[in-house]
Amino acid sequence: MTDILDAALVWFRRDLRSTDHAALYHALKNARRVWCVFVFDTDILDALPRLDRRVAFIHDSLIELDRALEQLGHQQPLTAMASSAASGATAGLIVRHGLAKVEIPKLAAQLGVQAVYANHDDEPDALARDAQVRGSLSNLGVALFTSKDHVIFERNEVLTGNDTPYGVFTPYKNAWLKKIDPFYVKPYPIERYASHLAPIPAKVQKIGDDRVPTLAQIGFEDAGALKIPAGMSGAQALLDDFLHRIDRYDSTRDFPGLKGPSYLSTHLRFGTVSIRELAGLAWARAQTGSSGAQTWLSELIWRDFYHQILFHHPHVVGQAYKREYDLIKWAHGAKAEAHFQAWCDGRTGYPLVDAAMRQLNQTGYMHNRLRMVTASFLIKDLGIDWRRGEAYFAEKLLDFDLAANNGGWQWAASSGCDAQPYFRIFNPISQSEKFDPQGKFIRRYVPELASLPDQALHAPWLSRPADLAATGDVLIGRDYPAPIVLHDEARAETLARYAVVKSASEADIKKLARRKPAAKPASGKKIST
């Protein structure tokens, strides 16, 4: 596009920052006047509980984004600044509450823009929404331009030698590392064109009104203090802290009782930090020989990998990536329902599993190692469909991302791309002994067992009566549950359940491929912007 536009609108979604932002950069560069909008999309919000930490995180991040855009807008030419000051109007964020597919075309018409800019969102529902918006804008004579911003490499940028998408991570990672160069992590220079940010006209925003509505005004309750600091400043604080620890990441990341992770996943999910900044830092540090940075970079590459899997294989939303795994008959009935509820509540009788689920329920966060442990337990100890666990995580996780969540659950179920073999079944006791040996994490979230000695903490039902007596007469089965299943027995049942996969015929697989995606579980409340 060579002709400069008179006016454009930037639609913020999962990219809540004012720096290194692809859509914002392209709009500012290509239009004389630019406005910015975020929509609290009722198509998404109406399915959520009225107290949702993710909505609170978005809300707090929007307040900071609005202020940052206003400050950027102060870089207008003096004549424009004087005019704005006289009217009381300033640049900032326009916020709407309603259906995005209605609000975006409506606002574009109100402002008289020639184009709307946004960043790609490759979730199936988001692609369908964007197609509707594109059509409505086209009817108004307005273009919709979208850009890559959420990952380093997307869609068809990293393909095999046969121009097909990768289904195995290691060769994908090798191709990713071969392709990366400074261009792909170079930040977009927003400040260079910041003077094109236009004051919000009174017809769109009454002067004096708060531009970001309160949670109550959009029908949500106060979530209280979040465990993860919100906004660009929250991301920067976490990044600054992590950079002091990144070289030890490979040796600390698997231990939930240690401060090992970056805790940046929520900020990556909502785009309050740039993936280019993080990948650039990790890549540069890895080249100096930091094994911690190399491991962290690998985790960021996994993120790209799962996003391209979702784009090329949208059937994974509701179905197994490997079709034959949909032949498995999962546990059902009253016993399975009781087991699922015990898993959700952190009352399985396995302390590490219960501590992890309680951490999720209380904070909206779960340590990555424990995501694997709890997923394996639900699927391969309880025999419950992985889609139910995926849906529960989608409802509870502050950092919920469809591509990563689906990829992780299908990895645990052995039904995904490059997943663990079906016969690899995590032992929740040995996982506990290995990754929380002193029980620091368990004691925090399962305080009723806090006084047990270390060696008795991982399988308290096997403890000596004297050790249990030291807890103050805590009784297993009364004060803390006995195991709802025995791991060795459950493992044998899982191997039998998965045997159907080995005997699947080509005809079976083709039949499964023709199936419509399964309906989303009722508990699968998710958020996507």
Side-chain angles (χ1 to χ4, degrees):
M1 191 170 69
T2 56
D3 295 336
I4 193 77
L5 301 174
D6 176 58
L9 178 65
V10 179
W11 179 13
F12 284 79
R13 289 108 71 95
R14 52 191 302 161
D15 42 21
L16 306 181
R17 65 185 185 281
S18 60
T19 59
D20 189 15
H21 189 289
L24 180 59
Y25 169 79
H26 291 304
L28 292 172
K29 182 180 179 182
N30 290 296
R32 296 184 184 89
R33 295 179 298 153
V34 174
W35 292 283
C36 302
V37 63
F38 177 87
V39 180
F40 280 109
D41 194 344
T42 51
D43 216 11
I44 299 165
L45 299 187
D46 286 351
L48 300 178
R50 295 300 88 185
L51 195 157
D52 193 292
R53 296 183 184 95
R54 295 162 297 190
V55 178
F57 183 93
I58 291 170
H59 174 268
D60 291 352
S61 298
L62 291 179
I63 292 174
E64 185 172 345
L65 176 60
D66 174 47
R67 291 170 183 163
L69 291 170
E70 184 175 355
Q71 291 175 355
L72 276 174
H74 287 161
Q75 299 180 35
Q76 301 173 65
L78 291 177
T79 53
M81 289 181 64
S83 175
S84 298
S87 67
T90 63
L93 186 67
I94 301 167
V95 179
R96 291 288 181 265
H97 179 224
L99 293 171
K101 58 191 176 187
V102 173
E103 294 295 332
I104 293 300
K106 179 181 176 182
L107 182 60
Q110 281 183 298
L111 293 170
V113 302
Q114 291 83 54
V116 173
Y117 289 80
N119 290 319
H120 291 162
D121 186 340
D122 284 338
E123 293 188 7
D125 288 349
L127 290 172
R129 173 202 62 198
D130 288 358
Q132 286 185 281
V133 172
R134 190 183 301 277
S136 297
L137 290 173
S138 180
N139 292 336
L140 298 170
V142 178
L144 175 63
F145 299 111
T146 60
S147 305
K148 177 184 68 173
D149 188 77
H150 196 57
V151 292
I152 299 299
F153 297 121
E154 64 171 6
R155 300 181 177 180
N156 296 312
E157 288 190 292
V158 178
L159 296 173
T160 69
N162 295 323
D163 289 332
T164 57
Y166 282 96
V168 179
F169 176 69
T170 299
Y172 174 86
K173 174 183 173 180
N174 292 337
W176 193 104
L177 290 170
K178 186 176 180 180
K179 187 178 180 72
I180 192 71
D181 66 34
F183 170 80
Y184 291 105
V185 294
K186 182 180 179 181
Y188 286 96
I190 301 296
E191 294 77 7
R192 186 180 301 172
Y193 303 100
S195 62
H196 293 180
L197 281 169
I200 301 173
K203 65 179 179 180
V204 172
Q205 181 75 47
K206 294 180 180 179
I207 305 305
D209 285 359
D210 290 333
R211 287 192 284 254
V212 180
T214 64
L215 286 171
Q217 286 172 328
I218 60 171
F220 283 81
E221 300 174 21
D222 185 356
L226 297 173
K227 294 293 184 181
I228 302 292
M232 294 175 284
S233 61
Q236 189 62 54
L238 290 174
L239 178 58
D240 290 344
D241 178 73
F242 179 58
L243 289 178
H244 295 296
R245 303 181 282 108
I246 189 172
D247 294 328
R248 302 188 301 277
Y249 176 76
D250 57 323
S251 60
T252 60
R253 70 184 184 119
D254 281 321
F255 298 87
L258 301 179
K259 191 176 183 180
S262 69
Y263 304 107
L264 284 164
S265 55
T266 303
H267 290 279
L268 274 170
R269 165 62 184 86
F270 292 108
T272 44
V273 68
S274 165
I275 181 59
R276 287 175 292 279
E277 179 183 6
L278 300 190
L281 288 169
W283 182 47
R285 194 81 155 244
Q287 289 177 308
T288 68
S290 169
S291 57
Q294 290 170 357
T295 302
W296 192 53
L297 180 60
S298 184
E299 294 300 302
L300 298 179
I301 299 172
W302 267 106
R303 182 174 174 272
D304 275 17
F305 179 64
Y306 280 143
H307 275 273
Q308 65 94 25
I309 289 293
L310 178 63
F311 176 77
H312 286 287
H313 306 282
H315 77 273
V316 299
V317 182
Q319 294 178 316
Y321 172 83
K322 299 175 183 175
R323 305 279 190 173
E324 61 269 28
Y325 281 77
D326 280 333
L327 292 169
I328 294 172
K329 303 297 183 184
W330 300 104
H332 63 280
K335 183 178 180 181
E337 289 304 311
H339 282 176
F340 180 69
Q341 193 59 53
W343 178 83
C344 292
D345 294 341
R347 299 284 296 171
T348 69
Y350 286 86
L352 187 66
V353 173
D354 292 342
M357 295 305 296
R358 295 182 193 186
Q359 180 189 40
L360 174 64
N361 293 331
Q362 293 172 26
T363 71
Y365 173 80
M366 187 189 287
H367 188 278
N368 187 61
R369 165 58 56 174
L370 301 184
R371 298 186 195 204
M372 294 187 285
V373 171
T374 54
S376 179
F377 186 84
L378 181 74
I379 299 164
K380 294 179 178 176
D381 281 76
L382 301 183
I384 292 173
D385 192 336
W386 60 268
R387 281 164 280 246
R388 299 195 67 185
E390 180 196 21
Y392 191 76
F393 273 27
E395 180 180 346
K396 295 293 183 178
L397 280 173
L398 185 56
D399 64 5
F400 167 71
D401 181 280
L402 176 59
N405 192 49
N406 180 272
W409 274 94
Q410 294 225 38
W411 182 90
S414 305
S415 62
C417 54
D418 202 15
Q420 64 170 343
Y422 72 88
F423 50 81
R424 182 185 176 194
I425 301 173
F426 283 4
N427 183 320
I429 301 172
S430 60
Q431 288 284 309
S432 183
E433 292 170 338
K434 183 175 181 180
F435 296 112
D436 193 29
Q438 296 175 321
K440 292 180 180 179
F441 182 80
I442 290 172
R443 287 186 170 90
R444 180 176 179 181
Y445 287 101
V446 190
E448 58 267 42
L449 300 178
S451 59
L452 276 177
D454 295 352
Q455 67 273 19
L457 192 60
H458 309 288
W461 67 94
L462 301 177
S463 298
R464 297 176 304 169
D467 289 332
L468 287 177
T471 68
D473 293 326
V474 170
L475 293 180
I476 299 301
R478 184 193 70 183
D479 304 299
Y480 181 73
I484 58 175
V485 294
L486 294 178
H487 175 70
D488 289 344
E489 294 177 3
R491 186 179 190 279
E493 291 178 10
T494 291
L495 293 176
R497 177 177 288 113
Y498 273 71
V500 68
V501 174
K502 293 189 294 182
S503 60
S505 66
E506 288 294 326
D508 291 331
I509 295 171
K510 288 180 180 179
K511 185 177 179 180
L512 289 167
R514 292 193 294 269
R515 270 192 199 173
K516 292 183 179 180
K520 295 175 184 176
S523 63
K525 299 169 183 174
K526 71 184 186 71
I527 189 164
S528 174
T529 53

